[in-house]
Amino acid sequence: MRTSRFHTQLPLNAGETLILDAKLSHYMLRVLRLQSGDRVILFGGDGREFRATLQGCDKQLAKVEIHDFRQPRRESPLHVRLGQGLSRGEHMDASIQKATELGASAIVPLICERSSSMNKERLGKKLGRWRQIAISACEQSGRNRLPVIDEAIDFETASRRSDSACQLAAVRVRDGRIVDQACWRIRPEPFYFSQANIRIHGITPDDVRGE
């Protein structure tokens, strides 16, 4: 029988007893109907996986006893950073899932000319959904490292011209975690902004006029 795998952001240490969060507890106890004594595998995204045993529940929160850990070499030796154009409906979800299962280290959603229009709030919600899809794909495929899924970006930030960027951002990632980041505003030439692009990133001509 296949042992169920679960990702958690809680610190994992061999020999300790851990009470899981409400969302994961509900999934384990109510959806999968796991019972006390069932064995599970927990991983935090750093490459290690911990064997654990379900010890019942404490106020509807699952309690597990953590045993030893191992660090299997399942990751591809290639560092693959995928630029994925935003697609409609479930197509983007499927792209994130398959890219994660195939071993992508990072996924960058790209806003293209024919991508469906989404404001910052909707893009933020989508980003949370895509990251959860990647976690589920890691749980199912056996990966112990989560791919980095960046904020959606476009190459024609101010207008449809390829040289019209109005903001540049850089992120430094180490071991799957953001350790440093910086952002700069740019005055595009010619000095023209598309209202459609402003609705996406929220940067106006006044924000970069003095750059």
Side-chain angles (χ1 to χ4, degrees):
M1 183 177 178
R2 185 175 182 272
T3 303
S4 298
R5 292 167 37 87
F6 304 96
H7 172 264
T8 178
Q9 294 182 338
L10 297 173
L12 297 171
N13 297 293
E16 293 186 356
T17 298
L18 185 66
I19 296 179
L20 303 177
D21 60 80
K23 183 177 180 180
L24 181 53
S25 295
H26 174 81
Y27 183 64
M28 293 174 66
L29 301 175
R30 306 302 178 197
V31 178
L32 297 182
R33 302 287 185 181
L34 297 182
Q35 304 291 325
S36 179
D38 286 344
R39 295 186 176 274
V40 299
I41 292 176
L42 301 175
F43 68 99
D46 62 356
R48 298 178 299 168
E49 62 180 25
F50 291 76
R51 295 191 305 169
T53 302
L54 184 62
Q55 298 292 324
C57 62
D58 181 3
K59 296 181 180 179
Q60 298 185 337
L61 298 179
K63 183 167 62 174
V64 295
E65 180 184 356
I66 303 176
H67 307 306
D68 58 343
F69 75 88
R70 58 180 182 171
Q71 197 163 358
R73 302 186 60 170
R74 298 188 184 127
E75 294 296 309
S76 169
L78 302 176
H79 183 83
V80 178
R81 185 177 180 86
L82 172 67
Q84 174 62 47
L86 291 179
S87 50
R88 295 178 180 273
E90 297 179 356
H91 298 294
M92 189 67 181
D93 295 353
S95 297
I96 298 292
Q97 177 188 351
K98 296 306 178 184
T100 300
E101 292 173 350
L102 291 172
S105 305
I107 304 170
V108 184
L110 299 177
I111 303 172
C112 304
E113 182 178 357
R114 298 185 181 276
S115 296
S116 56
S117 178
M118 283 187 276
N119 57 30
K120 291 179 66 175
E121 181 180 359
R122 188 180 176 197
L123 276 173
K125 292 180 180 179
K126 286 286 188 179
L127 183 62
R129 173 178 172 80
W130 297 330
R131 287 172 175 166
Q132 186 57 53
I133 288 173
I135 288 174
S136 297
C138 285
E139 290 175 341
Q140 295 297 320
S141 65
R143 288 188 67 180
N144 290 320
R145 290 191 181 275
L146 304 178
V148 176
I149 302 183
D150 295 323
E151 299 279 352
I153 62 173
D154 67 332
F155 292 114
E156 297 138 350
T157 308
S159 66
R160 291 189 175 184
R161 291 174 55 109
S162 60
D163 58 352
S164 70
C166 60
Q167 179 169 275
L168 174 65
V171 176
R172 179 179 296 172
V173 178
R174 183 179 296 123
D175 295 329
R177 300 182 183 277
I178 296 176
V179 297
D180 194 15
Q181 54 187 321
C183 182
W184 303 268
R185 293 284 172 84
I186 305 169
R187 178 187 170 99
E189 295 293 344
F191 191 56
Y192 167 75
F193 277 69
S194 162
Q195 289 299 317
N197 289 54
I198 290 176
R199 284 195 296 271
I200 294 173
H201 52 59
I203 303 171
T204 68
D206 289 339
D207 293 329
V208 300
R209 198 176 300 277
E211 301 298 331

